[in-house]
Structure formats: C-alpha cells, structure tokens
Amino acid sequence: MHGRLKVKTTAVQAEEKRIKRQKKLKLFQGALAAAFKKIHSKEYDAEGLYITQEILAANSDYYTIWNYRKNAFLHYKNTKTSEELLKCFQDELSFLQNCLKNNPKSYSCWNQRCFVLLTMSEPDWKKELQLCDLFLQFDDRNFHCWDYRRFVVQHSAVLPGEEIQFTHKLIENNFSNYSSWHYRSKLLPIECPDASDKNRIGEKMLLEELELVQNAFFTDPNDQSAWFYHRWLLGRGETKQSLLSLHVSLLDNKLTCTLRKPASIKDCSCLNVYMNDIPHAVVWNGCNQQKYQHIWQCDLPKEDLSSGANKIKVEFRSSELMVEMTGEDEAISCIETNTETFRQSSSDAKLSVLTEELKSCQELNDLEPGNKWVMLTLVLLMRAIDPTHHSSQVHDTLHELCTVDGMRQCYYQDLLSKFVIEDHIAAVDLHQRCINLHGKALTRVCRFEFFSTITSLNLSHNQLHSLNSPLKLLHCLQKLDVSENQIVEISGLKDLTKLVLLNLDSNRMSSLKTLEPVTTCTALQKISVKLNPIPSEDIDSLLQILPNVEIVYES
Amino acid sequence: MNEALPDDFDVIIIGTGLPAAVVSGALSRVDKKVLHLDRNDYYGGSWSSFNIKSVETFLQNPYDSAEYLNKDGEETSNIEVSEDEEFVPILQNKNFITKAEYSCYLKRRSVKMVIGRINLLPFIRFSEKNEEPAQSSSPCVDTCQSDVVEQSCASKPDDSLKSGETPISEEVQKREESPKVENCNDPATQGDGDSVEKEKELTQELDKAKTKEKVDVSEVVKPRFPLSEDFYKQWRHYNLDLSPKRVPCSRADVFSSKFVSVVEKRILMRLFTLCANYKDHEQEYQNFREKTFIEFLASRRLSLKAQHFVLYSIAMVSETTSTLDGLAATHKFLHSLGRYGNSAFLWPSYGVGEIPQAFCRFSAVFGGTFCLRRYAVGFIKDKTTGRCTAIVDNTGQKIRCGTLILDDLNLPHGANTTSTSSVDRAIYVIDSTVSKSDAEQIIQVSLVTIPPMCDNPAVRLIEAGPLCCVCPKNNYVVHGICFTNYCTKKNCEKQHETNIKPEVGGEDSQSRKPVILWSCHFTMTDTNTDNSTLPPNVITLQGPRMDLGFDRAMNEAREVFLRICPGEDFLPRAPDPEEIVFD
C-alpha cells in the first residue's frame, strides 16, 4: 500500500551493524599502533595526546594509554608555560568527566583524575566535590566515586559536619546504601567523639543515630546495611588484656602465664615475676613460632624453688596472680570468672541504651516475627545486657534462627556453642582443673585460653566435627574425652605432651592418617577408638607405631 | 480550508479528544486510511489546555466558537439522500460544560498572568511567551517535523500513558488533605489599592453564589466548609493537625517521614509490600472480600490517621470501596512509583492538551489525514443494511467511510444519551501556597485530597507552583475537583444553609492566608451515548472524568481499535529512523 513503511529485516540490520563494527575496529587498531609508536619513542606531543584521547574515548580502561598521558603531562610541566599547562589540565578534566559518564566505574579514569589534581597547580577542589555529588546521584553505591570523594575531602579540608550532612541526604534518598552509613561511622567519631574513647561517638549523638537507624530497620527490616550500622553503633567492646592463669611446675621448673589476648614478646616486658616479693628477671618463650601468643613460659631456677622460695607472683599491668608452693609438684592460680567476664565483648554501650534498644527490637519482632536480622540483634543485645537472665531466650532464639535462616545454620550453632562455653566458664571454678561439657550440643570449642590449666576435659556427646584448632593452649591436659561426636580429624591434638588418656569412641575417624597426630603426644598411655570406621589393617599399623600405648578397639 | 478532501476512507473520526486521538494513531499505524476532523481550531476537545485569556473566552461561550452553519438540522434539507438512505444529523454536545463563570480580582494590566495555558483537565500552564493554542488551520497532513513530544509519544505511545497513575510531574508531592484553604477576605495582606476593590468584588461574588438556586461548585472547594465546627471536631478526633502533611508513599518517604511512628512505619511497609503483590497473597485478605477496603486497613493495625491517608491519598478511593478494588488501586499507585523519580505522578510541562495532539501527530506521520475547523453535520445511514456509509461535512462534501467514530463532544441525533456523572471544577490563581509545610523542600505540585466531611463529597486539590511554568513567580494555581451528583448536591445545599459558620480565623491567624487573584468555576458533565440505537459501525467515545490517570481513555481506545481491527497489534513499537527503508 502507498505510504506504508518498509522496515529492514533483522538480518540486514545485523549486517549493517557488523560492517560498522569492523570499520570501528580498524580505526581503533590503527590509532593503537600510532599510540604505541609514540609510547616507545617517548614522543610527547599534541598529536600523541589527540590519538590517545580517541582511543580512551572508545575504551577508558586502557591504563597503558593513560600512563602515556601522565608522562606527557609531566613532560609538559617542564616545557610549557603555566597558562598552556592549565589549559591542558582543564581539557583533561573535562575529557575525564566524559569518560566517567560512559564508564563510571573505571579505575583508570578515577586514578587519572587524582593524578591531574595532584599535578596541576591550583586544583578546584570544590568543583571536584560537586562532581562527586553528581556521580553519587547517579549511583549512590559507586565505591570508586566514594573513594575519590574521600580523596577530595582529604585534600580540601571539607568539614566533617558537611560530609555528615551529605551522607544524611543520600540515606534519606535510599537507606540501602552501606557506603553512606559506613562513611558516617568514619565521620561521626571525628565530629562528636566520646569523651573516653576516641573511636566511639558521644552519647547524645549515639541516641540520635540509633533513632535514625531504627527508622531504617522498622521501614525495611530485611535491609542489612541498617543492621550493620546498628551493630557498629552499639559497638563491640574491646576485651582488656589481662592475666588469666598461672601455672608452676616443679617437674620441669617452668612458669607458664596465660593471657586473655595474644601478646607479643614485647608485651611480655610488662610481665614481672616476683619470688617472695623479690623481682626476678626471666626470659619468656612462646610455645610456637607465632608472633602473638596467649601462652608465655619461662624457666625458674630449680634451686630457688627448692630452697623455700614458695611465693611466686606475676604482675601484668593492673592484674596480678600469685601461687604458693606447698610441696606439691604443681601449683596454679586462675582469675575468678563471672558473668561480667564476657558480657562486654558483645557491646560496651551503656546498659540503659541497650535496654532501650532491646525494647524496640522486641517490638519489631512482635510485628515481624521470623526476621533473622531482628532475631540476631535480639540475641546480641540480650547477651550484652545479662547473659544469665536471658539464657533460655537466647537458646530459643538461636534455635529458631537455625530454621528461619537455614543457610547460616552452622553460624548460629557455632554462636550458641560459644555462648554455652562462655556461660560454663563463667559459672565454674577454674581451680578445679576439670571441665565437663558433656552433651551440650556443641559444634565447636573455643575460649581455650581459659582452659590452659585444665587437666581433664570432657567434650563427649556433642556435635563436634573436628578438633583442628590447636589444643596446645591446654598445656596441662591429661585426660580428654571426645567420644560420641562426629570427629573426622584431630590435628589440634598435635604436641599435647601431657596427654595420657584419649577417648575417641563413636566418632568418624576413618584411617591411620587421620590418627597420626596422636603419635606426637609423647605421654599417651591409652587411646580408645571404638566405633570408628577405621580399617583393621590401619589399627594394626597403629599398634606397631605406638607399641607402648594401650589401644582399645573393637575387633 | 474549504478545499475538497478525498472522499473515501476506512475510518472517519470526529473530534480529537484523547481516546479518539489514540484510536486514530493506532489505526494509521496499521495502515488504515483515516480521516480525522475537529470542529475547533485546536486539538484535544475536552482534553485541551488553554491560556488564561482563551479559557475566559471559552467559559463565556464554550460552544459558539465553531458553530458555523449547523443550526440543528437546518442545513440538512440540502443534503441529497437517495431513497434507501437516511440522513442522521450530528450535534454538538452542549452539556459538556455548564454553569461556567470566572472572576478576576486584579486590574488586568497589572498582572502578567494573562498568558499561558489552562487545561480543561486539572493541569494548567502559564508561560512567559504569549502562546496561542491555535494549530495550523488548513487540513494538515503532518510530515515528519518531529519534535520532542512526538518522539516520546511516537516511540512508545501507550507505555508512557497506560501504565500510569498519570499525568504528571517532575515532582508531584502527594499530601494528606487539609482543611486549610485560601481565605479570600484578607485585605491586610494586600498592600496595594486593589485590595479593597478586590474584597468587595469577592464578597459580591460570594453573595451571588449564595442566592443561587443550586449550590455552586465553588462552595465545595472554598474554605468555609472545612472550617465548620464539625470539621474541627472530626479532625481532632483523627488527631491530625491542620496543615497538609506529606504522605509517605515510597520506601524512602516512609523512612524519613516524621508523620508516622516507627511502629507505624513497619505496619505501613507491610501493607505496601502486600499491595505490591496482592494477587499472590490471597490468604491475607480472604476474609475481607465482601468487606470494604477501610475495614481491611483497620484489620492491619493501621492507626486511623494512616488508614485515612492510605484510603484517600494513596488508593484515592472512598470509604465504600471494596477491599479488592482498594488493593488494586493501591497496587497501581505503588507500581507507578519510581518510574520517573520518587512520585507516582508526572506533570506535563505543556499541559495535558499536548497528549491528544501528540497522538494526532503520530497518526499523521503514519498517513492519517487531519483537518481542523471541519466537522460532520451528519452521517448517511443505509436503510437496508442499517450501516453508516458516509458523512456529510460542514462544507457539504460527502465522504464515504467504513467506520465512523465520534468523540464525546459530538452526538448523533436521536441517540439516547444519559448524563452519567458530573464533576464540579474550580480553578484559582492565588498568591501563596495552600500547602506549605516542610519548608525545606520546594514543592512543585501538590495533590491534596480532602476526604468527605459533613456530607460534603471528597474534594481533590492540585496546586502547581511557578516551577511548573503555569503561573508567574510567587503565584500558585489551584485546581479543585469534586464529583457531584444530585444526592450529594442536595446535602451540600443543606450544609450550606445550616452549618457554615463565619470564617474561623483563630487557628491560622498568624500565618498569612493566600489571596485569590483569579478564579473560575464550572461543571463538566460526562455523557454516555447508548450505542444500541446507532448503526453498528458508528462508535461513540467517552469524555474525561475526575480520573487523574488516562487508563480509562487508553482502555477505551484499545477496545475500539480491536473492534475495528480484530487481532491486530495495538500501537506496536514505531520503527527507529535507521530501520526504515527509503525507496
């Protein structure tokens, strides 16, 4: 019909496109050849800049080409007048802006921009900040631009208050933006620091921020950025370094100190030993090659110990422990543990603040049952407020989380194991040197540093899968019962030189190889491996390797 | 303009209202031969936009402008028809605008706002240049003088419209209703000599309105009704303060709103999440299928305040709306959000009148023939087949057609017409905003819904500021729209007589109230034509109503198109220039 539009077929269009692309490719390759000629001959001129500009306009990630331009500008710096140079830099900045428009996540472009601003004589930082505003408007999570913004802010002395305002604007626009929240967490401690800790924020500000973030997670409790920020606000309290236990053995004349946090040999200069109140110079040794360790040992002169010097005191900063030798081969001293021992590691915010947060989270949980972020935050808050009081609720919530958020089931189980162990440590007198964690549904064991003076540890009937964390911290351990677990490997038992009795019954040890670590336990007398899928020939080999050890197995 | 047209077309369309224009575009797109006539010298019919001068002219006499000869059948005697044919006259719909009046409270020369455009639909525009709405006056077969409007419409005509809640704006901020409105009697605020005169004129005008037999529309929109005692009581009951609040409707709004508590934020977001996919969660509203939407909202633990703004400002439905309809309306609102910024609305910079015009241009690009100031005085009906065979235009030319489409301004003689609904409309130009609240943000367009109160029907206010190019700096244009029917009108009347107290000034006396500079009131009536008495190939279209969106017009256009071309694509994507083969 007359006037009817005829539309090209897709084949015709594809062919046209192909020809166009081919032409473009040929041009690009030609330009590239010319550019590399310039690069090799170190020829820095306007033509070179023009060619490279064309190439970069097509592909702004080509850093070799950007480097040529950098060299060219450095060359110009010595050869051109300042006006000419300024013009060059300004052109480069507007060219870069165009490149960034096409490719806002190009490392090379942002990098080149930093270079230009640092190289030019009077950079206009204000304009750069506006550029950041613009690009963050397009994509508020472009971390390249956030990086560049921090660079600009750093060089132009923008007040933190203004930047806080800016993040506020972005958050109002879209609070699923962790970049903004994170930037806030960097700025707020500068703007309104806490009087006692310069990495934290003052209480008034803290309350305002809590309200803001509360608005966010009430609006959308599934948004993780708000929860992460919330967690930062409540802060993980810093564990204070202190002495945990002291162990003196007359058998090998060694003094062993266990510290709450791993320390370096340098920190050991604060460990002062007194014998009958007389300072005693010692040399500290770690028990492995690592720089930071929980346990440090030193030799004690045998003659002093036998000649009535029976009070040994160790001072470490504000903490001190003392043992009195009363004719025994060994003596220990441990700190008193209670619920406060671990509470602080969840949060160091004020109790009133935490209680308030717990209240609003519970409210949200009522409105939105089964939200994993709310539940997890509840657990952490309850741990931070009063672990014993909320103990059963914490257990229930974590069990619920395992079903609600099955993908992270193991994480919650591990978390629960940690809480169980912490609660156990808090309730027990460590001087008894015996820990019984039988049937606690543990999936992992942690807080080993508290167990360093323990001689007997019962972990039977749990859900442990391996013993791969170094049990060497348990340097007194003689009796270990890990029966009725699902253990497949025991590499953590390596070099437990005091271990006498090991019960591995009802586990999943499957070969001689996995049992190998026990060969390094030199004091071992008895090992029980009943109900493990170990082939009988492997048992035979084990019998040969450990001729002096009683091996219990089903035949 | 009187030159002869070709005398055979597949489809002839009379009138360029939105559905007519869309059908025209869709038909031309699939190569139908289309003739499109309009008796006016502008496009759009009841969808047009006018500048303030022409709106005054229009309101003074909405119908005579193009009435050349057609004096109800006088001409028809000259029409030659054979024996087995019958001539059916087509008349102009004179019911469309009634009770029109306007007043200007300023010395004419002192205001610059005599320029710009006023839509018949609630969107109006002033501009600095003197733009006349006149279009090319000769029959035009537009060639490709594509401009921006055409581009955007031509490439995706339905997408941008059908989807939407609609018209509107870079930033239409939705607001909760508010009883606050302009108080006209505030001379203190007007420093110049005009004020006294203005006040006098205004009172006169108000008195006039009172003495009228029927209550004027304006009474509904004017400030007095919300300020009655009852109103205050009710609103106190709702625990709402009396300034319009920004209604949180998107996720970001809910987050930053200080209007609702954190708990309410959660409840609201849950409701929004449900409404966004309500079809997949039937169990959530199973028990409310037979109940109203407001009952459903109450069951979601929404506070009374929140129930009201979801009902009136988000779903924009009434208290009697059923749960399913309310959910569908909320769903539509939520899915309109975020398409173009943080609003469910768009504001057309050149007025709604541009939209039918753009579809006409699209039709012309694909071969449609257009002719303004030309219309059908009647059509010829074949007595044996009962079908329409041709039209007779106002020059007396007979033009054959396969199908005849008439828009809402053209009524075939003898067809049963019923007035389905009428909308009372008021347009004010005022000198300060009625919806100031969160001052930091420059609000360009506000949409305020005043829920029905004291037996008064719901009123919707749309306020557009100077940034919308509808009025000079510092002035605002307010549209008041109100559905009326005889029942509520009577109530209004009663209300008017018994309940309206003198202005309650106390509540607001510190802040300055807006002064009206110009106002007009009119009633728009929608006419439904009973198609059953018409030949099967004559189709009539509906006019605009109170709708803020174009859904109804677009759906109607699609139905009509499919009736004429069953199985064809409705407005398929137009090819890009590089895809077209030129011979």
Side-chain angles (χ1 to χ4, degrees):
Chain A
M1 188 190 269
H2 172 71
R4 180 164 194 152
L5 277 183
K6 284 184 207 153
V7 176
K8 293 171 191 166
T9 60
T10 40
V12 173
Q13 282 185 54
E15 178 63 17
E16 275 178 9
K17 225 177 191 173
R18 197 185 62 83
I19 292 170
K20 236 187 215 169
R21 284 176 70 97
Q22 231 163 22
K23 257 190 202 159
K24 226 166 131 187
L25 181 67
K26 220 171 150 187
L27 269 174
F28 187 78
Q29 280 170 337
L32 217 52
F36 271 101
K37 222 168 120 192
K38 297 264 182 198
I39 293 171
H40 291 311
S41 58
K42 299 204 162 99
E43 215 178 300
Y44 303 118
D45 53 16
E47 194 196 356
L49 283 180
Y50 175 76
I51 297 169
T52 51
Q53 185 162 342
E54 292 296 303
I55 294 168
L56 291 167
N59 174 12
S60 54
D61 276 331
Y62 210 142
Y63 61 82
T64 314
I65 305 293
W66 285 115
N67 283 342
Y68 168 82
R69 291 176 79 80
K70 279 183 196 163
N71 284 330
F73 289 129
L74 290 175
H75 176 75
Y76 278 8
K77 220 177 167 180
N78 302 324
T79 53
K80 297 246 177 185
T81 66
S82 57
E83 285 94 49
E84 284 172 323
L85 200 63
L86 185 67
K87 173 95 181 46
C88 278
F89 281 134
Q90 275 168 350
D91 289 350
E92 184 71 354
L93 287 179
S94 67
F95 171 60
L96 273 166
Q97 191 167 343
N98 280 332
C99 292
L100 286 170
K101 246 182 225 160
N102 295 331
N103 187 359
K105 295 194 173 176
S106 162
Y107 283 96
S108 314
C109 291
W110 291 108
N111 183 289
Q112 177 82 354
R113 208 166 172 95
C114 294
F115 164 82
V116 171
L117 284 159
L118 291 178
T119 317
M120 71 193 288
S121 49
E122 284 167 2
D124 185 352
W125 293 109
K126 222 173 178 173
K127 213 171 136 194
E128 294 310 297
L129 208 61
Q130 284 165 356
L131 182 94
C132 293
D133 287 356
L134 188 75
F135 274 91
L136 289 175
Q137 214 177 343
F138 295 144
D139 176 5
D140 51 17
R141 288 185 281 199
N142 182 349
F143 65 82
H144 302 263
C145 187
W146 280 107
D147 275 344
Y148 185 67
R149 189 177 183 96
R150 281 188 283 270
F151 164 82
V152 171
V153 167
Q154 188 197 341
H155 283 88
S156 57
V158 178
L159 294 174
E162 290 171 24
E163 289 295 282
I164 291 172
Q165 277 300 316
F166 174 75
T167 59
H168 196 99
K169 221 174 76 194
L170 287 191
I171 287 169
E172 285 222 314
N173 218 15
N174 175 14
F175 61 84
S176 304
N177 178 356
Y178 192 67
S179 305
S180 295
W181 291 112
H182 172 258
Y183 196 27
R184 266 178 111 69
S185 75
K186 290 284 164 197
L187 294 165
L188 285 167
I190 303 171
E191 185 72 1
C192 15
D194 188 45
S196 56
D197 182 353
K198 65 175 172 33
N199 290 319
R200 314 284 321 154
I201 59 177
E203 194 177 341
K204 189 172 158 281
M205 199 65 207
L206 176 67
L207 292 177
E208 277 176 37
E209 288 300 291
L210 282 171
E211 198 194 322
L212 183 73
V213 77
Q214 202 183 63
N215 271 312
F217 62 64
F218 265 88
T219 305
D220 185 356
N222 288 314
D223 184 83
Q224 57 176 4
S225 51
W227 290 110
F228 280 130
Y229 187 65
H230 184 249
R231 202 155 164 184
W232 174 79
L233 283 174
L234 293 180
R236 203 178 298 200
E238 204 183 343
T239 311
K240 273 216 183 103
Q241 178 67 295
S242 67
L243 267 177
L244 277 184
S245 64
L246 216 56
H247 175 254
V248 179
S249 165
L250 290 182
L251 299 173
D252 49 9
N253 298 319
K254 276 197 193 308
L255 167 66
T256 312
C257 295
T258 313
L259 300 169
R260 182 89 194 251
K261 292 203 296 186
S264 65
I265 185 94
K266 216 173 102 200
D267 298 326
C268 290
S269 56
C270 304
L271 274 170
N272 300 318
V273 180
Y274 300 87
M275 296 185 74
N276 286 346
D277 295 329
I278 301 156
H280 185 81
V282 293
V283 179
W284 294 104
N285 293 307
C287 55
N288 58 38
Q289 301 306 310
Q290 279 168 8
K291 195 173 172 199
Y292 285 88
Q293 302 186 21
H294 277 289
I295 289 186
W296 290 93
Q297 279 185 329
C298 66
D299 292 321
L300 290 175
K302 194 174 185 170
E303 50 281 16
D304 283 5
L305 285 174
S306 47
S307 64
N310 56 358
K311 273 190 197 167
I312 300 165
K313 190 172 79 177
V314 176
E315 238 182 43
F316 182 77
R317 291 180 192 156
S318 59
S319 60
E320 58 167 54
L321 284 174
M322 193 179 77
V323 293
E324 212 166 329
M325 305 303 294
T326 53
E328 305 274 331
D329 285 345
E330 279 184 309
I332 60 158
S333 174
C334 308
I335 58 150
E336 298 263 323
T337 51
N338 53 37
T339 49
E340 286 299 303
T341 315
F342 300 105
R343 196 180 71 82
Q344 185 191 53
S345 65
S346 301
S347 169
D348 63 354
K350 272 196 181 166
L351 213 55
S352 60
V353 174
L354 292 171
T355 320
E356 215 33 57
E357 286 305 298
L358 182 68
K359 229 170 79 191
S360 64
C361 279
Q362 267 159 350
E363 199 170 22
L364 183 54
N365 194 41
D366 293 342
L367 284 171
E368 192 85 1
N371 183 289
K372 63 169 181 174
W373 294 105
V374 186
M375 287 157 76
L376 182 59
T377 310
L378 274 175
V379 165
L380 297 175
L381 283 168
M382 289 190 287
R383 287 298 294 182
I385 291 167
D386 186 348
T388 13
H389 177 72
H390 296 291
S391 167
S392 70
Q393 226 179 321
V394 166
H395 279 232
D396 293 349
T397 316
L398 280 171
H399 282 304
E400 210 185 321
L401 270 169
C402 288
T403 41
V404 166
D405 186 18
M407 299 280 280
R408 272 156 287 273
Q409 192 184 10
C410 295
Y411 169 75
Y412 300 123
Q413 284 171 344
D414 283 359
L415 201 59
L416 185 58
S417 303
K418 189 176 108 180
F419 294 158
V420 167
I421 291 168
E422 284 179 355
D423 288 349
H424 192 84
I425 293 171
V428 86
D429 179 8
L430 291 171
H431 290 96
Q432 296 196 344
R433 309 193 72 180
C434 174
I435 294 280
N436 186 354
L437 290 164
H438 169 86
K440 299 267 190 191
L442 301 181
T443 54
R444 69 156 177 163
V445 194
C446 57
R447 302 290 187 201
F448 281 126
E449 64 274 18
F450 283 87
F451 297 154
S452 64
T453 55
I454 297 303
T455 54
S456 165
L457 178 60
N458 185 352
L459 292 169
S460 60
H461 196 64
N462 279 303
Q463 292 157 22
L464 300 173
H465 289 267
S466 69
L467 286 178
N468 53 5
S469 44
L471 270 71
K472 224 186 154 194
L473 285 178
L474 285 71
H475 62 96
C476 301
L477 191 65
Q478 295 169 357
K479 205 176 138 195
L480 177 63
D481 187 350
V482 288
S483 57
E484 294 179 64
N485 279 291
Q486 292 121 42
I487 295 170
V488 292
E489 65 141 339
I490 51 170
S491 57
L493 297 186
K494 221 168 158 241
D495 296 328
L496 278 179
T497 48
K498 301 256 174 75
L499 189 66
V500 178
L501 210 65
L502 173 63
N503 189 347
L504 269 170
D505 291 350
S506 299
N507 275 298
R508 298 195 184 152
M509 303 300 294
S510 58
S511 68
L512 176 65
K513 200 167 170 5
T514 53
L515 283 168
E516 229 161 34
V518 299
T519 58
T520 60
C521 303
T522 46
L524 195 65
Q525 291 177 4
K526 183 176 174 186
I527 172 170
S528 179
V529 290
K530 282 188 286 189
L531 297 169
N532 275 291
I534 308 171
S536 57
E537 60 267 28
D538 281 10
I539 299 279
D540 294 343
S541 317
L542 192 66
L543 285 166
Q544 282 179 5
I545 299 166
L546 300 169
N548 302 323
V549 180
E550 180 191 346
I551 298 172
V552 185
Y553 59 96
E554 73 275 32
S555 45
Chain B
M1 76 166 251
N2 284 334
E3 62 246 68
L5 293 162
D7 53 13
D8 194 5
F9 287 91
D10 294 331
V11 180
I12 295 179
I13 305 173
I14 315 292
T16 51
L18 183 63
V22 176
V23 173
S24 172
L27 290 170
S28 297
R29 177 72 182 87
V30 295
D31 300 324
K32 292 283 173 200
K33 208 174 165 206
V34 175
L35 174 66
H36 204 151
L37 306 178
D38 195 313
R39 70 174 71 229
N40 298 315
D41 55 1
Y42 52 85
Y43 286 93
S46 5
W47 268 267
S48 304
S49 306
F50 296 107
N51 66 32
I52 207 163
K53 214 186 212 162
S54 43
V55 90
E56 286 178 356
T57 322
F58 178 83
L59 291 176
Q60 271 169 348
N61 214 341
Y63 306 115
D64 277 359
S65 60
E67 206 82 350
Y68 297 109
L69 318 149
N70 189 14
K71 291 191 182 103
D72 292 0
E74 224 175 73
E75 272 314 286
T76 59
S77 53
N78 304 336
I79 312 268
E80 290 173 30
V81 286
S82 61
E83 251 170 46
D84 52 355
E85 285 177 338
E86 181 192 340
F87 177 77
V88 184
I90 296 173
L91 310 173
Q92 194 178 7
N93 177 0
K94 294 193 176 174
N95 244 341
F96 164 53
I97 289 217
T98 49
K99 287 177 271 170
E101 58 177 42
Y102 69 91
S103 337
C104 181
Y105 306 114
L106 284 180
K107 280 185 193 150
R108 216 140 259 266
R109 254 164 287 145
S110 68
V111 229
K112 275 208 187 124
M113 62 185 202
V114 221
I115 22 196
R117 293 177 158 199
I118 298 219
N119 293 346
L120 287 185
L121 280 188
F123 304 99
I124 68 171
R125 170 183 144 81
F126 286 86
S127 73
E128 292 302 317
K129 326 187 276 277
N130 196 351
E131 288 177 306
E132 285 299 326
Q135 303 301 324
S136 59
S137 53
S138 59
C140 53
V141 180
D142 269 0
T143 48
C144 290
Q145 345 146 319
S146 63
D147 59 18
V148 184
V149 179
E150 182 185 273
Q151 284 288 353
S152 59
C153 266
S155 50
K156 260 189 186 173
D158 59 341
D159 218 304
S160 55
L161 298 170
K162 78 178 173 198
S163 61
E165 265 305 290
T166 319
I168 347 325
S169 107
E170 288 145 296
E171 215 178 302
V172 177
Q173 312 288 6
K174 297 217 52 210
R175 289 160 167 283
E176 176 69 11
E177 67 8 276
S178 111
K180 150 119 70 85
V181 181
E182 61 276 24
N183 174 357
C184 341
N185 299 334
D186 196 350
T189 58
Q190 201 65 16
D192 61 287
D194 275 344
S195 60
V196 179
E197 184 192 343
K198 199 164 43 174
E199 195 190 353
K200 208 187 285 167
E201 246 186 78
L202 193 70
T203 3
Q204 277 168 3
E205 196 256 337
L206 291 174
D207 288 340
K208 216 163 55 196
K210 273 181 201 158
T211 53
K212 269 187 193 162
E213 271 186 21
K214 283 177 186 166
V215 175
D216 196 90
V217 205
S218 53
E219 292 308 319
V220 183
V221 188
K222 276 184 182 166
R224 297 194 274 172
F225 108 76
L227 295 179
S228 69
E229 293 285 16
D230 274 18
F231 185 86
Y232 272 109
K233 262 184 234 149
Q234 252 169 312
W235 282 99
R236 290 224 176 88
H237 176 56
Y238 294 158
N239 197 15
L240 238 186
D241 56 82
L242 288 164
S243 62
K245 284 279 188 273
R246 195 171 158 183
V247 172
C249 46
S250 68
R251 187 169 170 268
D253 283 352
V254 172
F255 166 63
S256 53
S257 175
K258 295 190 171 65
F259 184 44
V260 286
S261 70
V262 283
V263 175
E264 231 162 27
K265 287 182 183 196
R266 184 78 295 264
I267 295 173
L268 262 183
M269 284 304 292
R270 282 177 72 101
L271 176 73
F272 290 165
T273 320
L274 167 69
C275 291
N277 287 306
Y278 73 102
K279 282 186 181 140
D280 300 340
H281 298 96
E282 279 192 36
Q283 71 288 355
E284 302 252 1
Y285 51 87
Q286 199 66 52
N287 303 330
F288 290 88
R289 281 179 176 275
E290 307 301 321
K291 295 183 182 161
T292 61
F293 189 44
I294 191 105
E295 285 174 296
F296 171 70
L297 292 179
S299 77
R300 307 281 302 182
R301 293 164 68 186
L302 249 65
S303 69
L304 209 52
K305 175 174 75 176
Q307 285 173 31
H308 277 88
F309 76 67
V310 170
L311 186 75
Y312 294 114
S313 294
I314 289 177
M316 296 196 267
V317 294
S318 73
E319 296 206 10
T320 54
T321 306
S322 74
T323 302
L324 282 184
D325 290 349
L327 284 169
T330 315
H331 171 89
K332 191 169 106 180
F333 181 92
L334 294 171
H335 282 262
S336 306
L337 276 174
R339 273 170 195 271
Y340 302 96
N342 189 14
S343 164
F345 299 95
L346 289 170
W347 176 270
S349 303
Y350 295 90
V352 171
E354 285 296 292
I355 296 169
Q357 201 177 331
F359 277 97
C360 289
R361 212 172 298 165
F362 178 78
S363 175
V365 167
F366 284 93
T369 305
F370 278 77
C371 200
L372 291 177
R373 289 187 200 155
R374 205 143 170 174
Y375 57 97
V377 292
F379 64 85
I380 292 165
K381 184 176 155 189
D382 185 318
K383 279 181 186 160
T384 48
T385 61
R387 291 176 71 85
C388 156
T389 54
I391 63 151
V392 179
D393 80 358
N394 54 324
T395 65
Q397 189 184 350
K398 232 184 253 182
I399 308 167
R400 282 190 300 283
C401 62
T403 309
L404 174 64
I405 299 174
L406 301 171
D407 83 350
D408 57 310
L409 296 183
N410 295 280
L411 303 173
H413 179 73
N416 286 333
T417 58
T418 42
S419 296
T420 46
S421 61
S422 61
V423 176
D424 289 334
R425 295 277 318 276
I427 304 170
Y428 302 103
V429 179
I430 52 176
D431 70 342
S432 64
T433 172
V434 294
S435 50
K436 51 192 165 220
S437 58
D438 355 20
E440 346 141 17
Q441 256 173 321
I442 303 167
I443 311 283
Q444 295 170 27
V445 183
S446 316
L447 182 58
V448 182
T449 307
I450 305 179
M453 288 278 151
C454 324
D455 298 329
N456 286 310
V459 174
R460 193 162 285 150
L461 295 182
I462 296 170
E463 183 193 72
L467 286 174
C468 305
C469 309
V470 288
C471 51
K473 222 173 150 190
N474 301 327
N475 288 0
Y476 293 83
V477 172
V478 178
H479 286 263
I481 317 156
C482 170
F483 250 126
T484 52
N485 55 45
Y486 290 101
C487 171
T488 53
K489 257 199 157 169
K490 243 178 228 156
N491 285 335
C492 272
E493 204 169 348
K494 217 166 82 197
Q495 198 71 34
H496 173 67
E497 283 164 6
T498 59
N499 219 355
I500 292 180
K501 300 264 159 64
E503 309 285 326
V504 183
E507 213 70 22
D508 232 339
S509 53
Q510 288 121 337
S511 57
R512 185 186 178 284
K513 291 171 186 168
V515 172
I516 297 185
L517 307 174
W518 182 92
S519 76
C520 76
H521 310 117
F522 53 93
T523 301
M524 288 171 89
T525 307
D526 241 29
T527 308
N528 247 5
T529 309
D530 179 9
N531 277 329
S532 61
T533 60
L534 293 174
N537 60 340
V538 175
I539 299 168
T540 57
L541 300 170
Q542 293 178 347
R545 291 192 191 169
M546 198 185 177
D547 307 18
L548 279 179
F550 298 131
D551 282 14
R552 207 169 41 82
M554 292 305 293
N555 288 336
E556 190 184 15
R558 182 185 287 109
E559 273 167 31
V560 169
F561 171 80
L562 290 175
R563 222 171 114 185
I564 300 169
C565 311
E568 289 266 15
D569 269 359
F570 178 68
L571 288 168
R573 188 186 75 93
D576 292 331
E578 60 266 25
E579 294 168 23
I580 299 170
V581 182
F582 296 98
D583 298 325

